[in-house]
Amino acid sequence: MSSGTPLSSEQPACNDLAEGFASHLLQWAEQAGAPPEAPAVLAAAGRQVSLSTQAGHVCAQLADLVEFFPDHSASQLSQCLLASRMVTAAGETPTLPSIRPLILDRDGRLYLHRYFAYERRLAASLRQRAARRGSPPADELRHRLDRLFADNRQRLGDRPDWQKLAAALAWRGRLTIISGGPGTGKTTTVVALLACLLAENPKLRVALAAPTGKAAARMLDALRRRAGDLPLELQALLPREAHTLHRLLGVTPEPGRFRHHAGNPLPIDALFVDEASMLDLALACRLCEAVPPDARLVLLGDKDQLSAVEAGAVFSEISADPTLTAACITELAALTSTPAARIRPPPAITPTPLADCVVWFSESHRFASTSGIGRLAADINAGRGAEACDWLAGTTDLSVGWLPDGSADLEAATRQAIRDGYQPYREALTYAHPDPTTRRRQVFAAFDRFRVLCAQRETARGVHAINALVSQHVQQWVGDTHATFTGSPWYLGRPVMVLRNDYVLKLFNGDIGICLPNDAGELMVWFPGQEAGFRPVAPIRLPEHDTAFAMTVHKAQGSEFESVLLLLPEQTNRVVTRELLYTGVTRASKRVCLVAGREILVSACANRTRRHSGLIARLGETGP
């Protein structure tokens, strides 16, 4: 469950997948000669684990089973499960072919075997990488960092420059985790670090990557903009493309397998991964194992954002402890010309063994904490829902708006706000610039200025309903002069989001295309290409896709829009969490409008996402 609420018999325990898994467990247990008291407990455990992983958890909690068996203590349930011959204690994991489907650790976490293996492998990879240290040339690096962060020194005065400190930390180590909200300087830090690395070794093999194509493109674009002040010879050495993680690792025909792994590592010396909060456990494990042991791995993200759609909350866990040891502080002080007494990281959320690897950026350069979006984001993260509502109701700050529309359907004011948001896009569609490429660029720019973000896909306040509403409005505006045929879903200006990777067409989950005519007047779906160009794809050839006037907050991760209308459900819902609200609000760079009743806003701020996991426990273990 996204909010960490225990699964119960009143929730969808009859889920087909969970019931099927429980049925298989019982068959296997019977064949293995399990004692008669084991099947009921085993079946409940199987359902619980299956439902937990579907809800984004890595494991289930043994304590949650007690409500199904009130006559049993957690210890008795543990003994029963271990006796079923389908569950292995974590410290006694057998080898093939005697592997059992479930693992129970000493803290009462119950895992599917593969998720426990992922967690243990990822922990081992992170531990080994965190232990590796380089020997930076102190004087040379200090001079470079002083030059690269000179502007910061004038702005900060006596305050420590955490961007500069993070660059030095990444130089000395092989694992660096940088967490910060939008506009806090993560890209600036990456550019400075790359400048230092490439100045020392112009042949350094550097890769940029992100979980989605949109996030990868934004990362590359941001890096190019920030690198404008570097010497031309260094600009020429910067990476010229950014990859999706799946493309970087090399997808193979076998599901879940990649061409690059521990036995065939990536041919790189440094990897920078943006939007790392979107990493699920399985992908994070495979990524870390594919990076050569001596290569630098820099993970960039926002610990306060939504976690991955799949199981795990890897980034929030590994970035939970920004502790710096005394020895590290002494070295950073020498490398950055910062008095050691001023290098004081914030206290950990949860202590982890990743000391000297984590930095938090808290100062936003996009919007100050006193600005509308900055203040709203800060209130959300602090759980101050009532205070946020009171402020929204009375503020004159034009960067934020609130429509307290809690109706089951949408009120007229909300519908009008959506139509107004897409007005510049509609106008761009009907403006016929003589140069087709320029026209397409203008249409895409207008489309990216505004987006409706929803918490859910269904209901009158969900993605499907909003897409239908805006589609009808746009078709009425542009007419049907370019319609392929009557009743066709394709019309001038229809934006679509790709939902499934297609490596032949080089289209990836999250890519956005817009339906526009080609030179012959035929409607094609145009996607941004290399060097600010566009490439057309016939609608019939597209992989699975959906209209994209509205999208879920999850799908919007890695994106940025000038203006966002964030539409929440009419009733409190466990899906609407603090992290979802914060992520939606911070997709906006200039203005955000919340559409929700007061009760659901207050509830969302109080409802934190908690995912069951044992990654931090695995990090503290020794051995493989």
Side-chain angles (χ1 to χ4, degrees):
M1 315 293 286
S2 62
S3 60
T5 304
L7 295 161
S8 74
S9 57
E10 296 180 355
Q11 291 167 327
C14 59
N15 178 282
D16 290 344
L17 185 59
E19 288 296 334
F21 179 63
S23 176
H24 282 302
L25 275 180
L26 291 177
Q27 293 176 20
W28 298 331
E30 182 180 356
Q31 294 170 4
E37 67 273 14
V41 175
L42 181 64
R47 294 187 196 98
Q48 190 86 350
V49 172
S50 181
L51 289 168
S52 292
T53 55
Q54 290 177 67
H57 300 296
V58 174
C59 57
Q61 296 287 342
L62 186 62
D64 291 342
L65 287 180
V66 174
E67 69 174 279
F68 298 106
F69 302 94
D71 296 335
H72 290 62
S73 66
S75 177
Q76 290 171 323
L77 289 174
S78 174
Q79 293 172 10
C80 191
L81 287 172
L82 294 173
S84 72
R85 304 188 181 184
M86 291 294 103
V87 182
T88 302
E92 304 171 4
T93 306
T95 57
L96 289 169
S98 58
I99 287 177
R100 297 171 181 177
L102 297 179
I103 302 287
L104 180 65
D105 79 0
R106 68 184 67 181
D107 297 314
R109 302 183 188 93
L110 188 62
Y111 293 83
L112 292 174
H113 187 277
R114 62 180 169 138
Y115 283 107
F116 182 79
Y118 282 143
E119 202 171 76
R120 190 169 57 175
R121 285 162 49 192
L122 175 60
S125 178
L126 291 171
R127 266 198 322 268
Q128 293 164 10
R129 193 172 299 280
R132 293 180 178 270
R133 294 282 184 266
S135 300
D139 291 338
E140 186 177 349
L141 179 60
R142 183 174 62 252
H143 293 322
R144 285 190 186 129
L145 291 175
D146 285 344
R147 289 195 301 271
L148 289 164
F149 291 100
D151 291 342
N152 281 7
R153 183 171 63 251
Q154 295 178 0
R155 176 176 56 84
L156 293 169
D158 292 337
R159 289 181 294 156
D161 184 348
W162 283 102
Q163 294 177 21
K164 187 178 186 181
L165 290 164
L169 192 71
W171 180 288
R172 69 185 290 278
R174 293 299 177 266
L175 173 67
T176 307
I177 301 154
I178 301 176
S179 174
T184 51
K186 298 189 293 292
T187 303
T188 300
T189 303
V190 168
V191 169
L193 176 59
L194 281 173
C196 293
L197 293 171
L198 292 169
E200 183 196 43
N201 179 10
K203 295 183 179 180
L204 194 78
R205 299 169 299 172
V206 178
L208 307 176
T212 68
K214 183 75 171 178
R218 280 195 62 229
M219 180 187 193
L220 185 62
D221 183 58
L223 185 143
R224 286 172 173 168
R225 292 199 309 270
R226 296 291 191 281
D229 294 333
L230 295 180
L232 292 179
E233 60 271 19
L234 282 181
Q235 291 186 40
L237 297 175
L238 293 173
R240 298 193 175 277
E241 63 178 334
H243 308 271
T244 64
L245 289 174
H246 285 78
R247 181 182 168 202
L248 178 76
L249 293 174
V251 175
T252 67
E254 189 175 355
R257 299 287 182 179
F258 294 102
R259 188 168 66 253
H260 293 291
H261 44 75
N264 181 34
L266 290 160
I268 57 173
D269 301 307
L271 172 62
F272 296 80
V273 180
D274 200 11
E275 299 294 344
S277 61
M278 299 169 70
L279 285 172
D280 61 79
L281 175 63
L283 185 56
C285 175
R286 290 163 174 155
L287 174 69
C288 287
E289 290 182 337
V291 178
D294 287 327
R296 285 180 174 84
L297 175 59
V298 180
L299 300 175
L300 308 154
D302 186 344
K303 61 180 175 55
D304 298 317
Q305 276 194 34
L306 281 169
S307 298
V309 175
E310 303 297 330
V314 172
F315 189 79
S316 65
E317 291 181 278
I318 63 176
S319 63
D321 188 355
T323 299
L324 299 174
T325 61
C328 179
I329 289 175
T330 298
E331 189 170 349
L332 292 179
L335 291 173
T336 64
S337 306
T338 306
R342 294 179 186 163
I343 305 176
R344 290 292 177 263
I349 298 171
T350 303
T352 78
L354 298 180
D356 301 340
C357 294
V358 180
V359 176
W360 295 351
F361 291 169
S362 57
E363 182 184 4
S364 177
H365 308 288
R366 180 180 303 171
F367 33 75
S369 60
T370 54
S371 71
I373 297 177
R375 172 168 177 166
L376 181 57
D379 280 347
I380 292 168
N381 267 340
R384 297 189 294 261
E387 292 89 335
C389 288
D390 291 341
W391 175 72
L392 284 169
T395 186
T396 58
D397 193 313
L398 297 180
S399 69
V400 295
W402 179 29
L403 294 174
D405 176 2
S407 62
D409 204 344
L410 299 179
E411 295 178 357
T414 300
R415 291 172 179 266
Q416 187 61 48
I418 295 172
R419 287 194 291 267
D420 290 347
Y422 278 114
Q423 177 72 16
Y425 178 62
R426 297 195 310 267
E427 293 175 352
L429 288 172
T430 55
Y431 174 65
H433 193 282
D435 178 54
T437 300
T438 300
R439 184 193 178 195
R440 291 171 194 130
R441 190 177 301 120
Q442 291 174 341
V443 168
F444 271 85
F447 182 65
D448 282 340
R449 287 176 59 184
F450 175 76
R451 196 72 86 250
V452 179
L453 302 183
C454 304
Q456 298 173 310
R457 297 187 63 80
E458 309 300 334
T459 80
R461 301 167 69 95
V463 168
H464 290 157
I466 301 304
N467 277 328
L469 173 70
V470 182
S471 292
Q472 181 182 29
H473 189 58
V474 169
Q475 288 180 78
Q476 291 173 348
W477 177 274
V478 301
D480 59 358
T481 54
H482 290 283
T484 306
F485 54 84
T486 302
S488 168
W490 298 103
Y491 55 87
L492 176 68
R494 182 191 176 194
V496 295
M497 173 183 285
V498 174
L499 302 178
R500 178 175 52 81
N501 294 339
D502 188 317
Y503 292 92
V504 175
L505 293 176
K506 295 183 179 180
L507 293 176
F508 302 96
N509 186 9
D511 285 355
I512 297 285
I514 296 178
C515 196
L516 298 168
N518 61 14
D519 293 342
E522 299 171 324
L523 285 179
M524 304 290 282
V525 182
W526 296 82
F527 291 88
Q530 297 295 323
E531 304 301 327
F534 299 89
R535 61 188 182 94
V537 177
I540 197 172
R541 296 192 64 199
L542 285 180
E544 185 182 356
H545 57 273
D546 199 0
T547 305
F549 288 114
M551 63 178 68
T552 62
V553 177
H554 270 102
K555 284 291 187 181
Q557 282 186 273
S559 298
E560 177 188 310
F561 312 101
E562 286 186 15
S563 180
V564 163
L565 186 144
L566 179 56
L567 184 59
L568 301 183
E570 71 273 13
Q571 296 179 342
T572 56
N573 190 308
R574 64 180 177 83
V575 172
V576 185
T577 62
R578 182 184 302 180
E579 289 77 11
L580 181 138
L581 189 56
Y582 169 82
T583 302
V585 165
T586 55
R587 295 312 88 205
S589 62
K590 293 185 178 180
R591 189 176 192 278
V592 63
C593 178
L594 294 178
V595 181
R598 180 186 178 95
E599 181 182 358
I600 195 168
L601 285 176
V602 174
S603 171
C605 290
N607 185 22
R608 297 210 65 176
T609 299
R610 300 190 186 280
R611 288 191 169 179
H612 301 322
S613 165
L615 180 57
I616 293 177
R618 302 287 89 78
L619 283 167
E621 296 173 351
T622 57

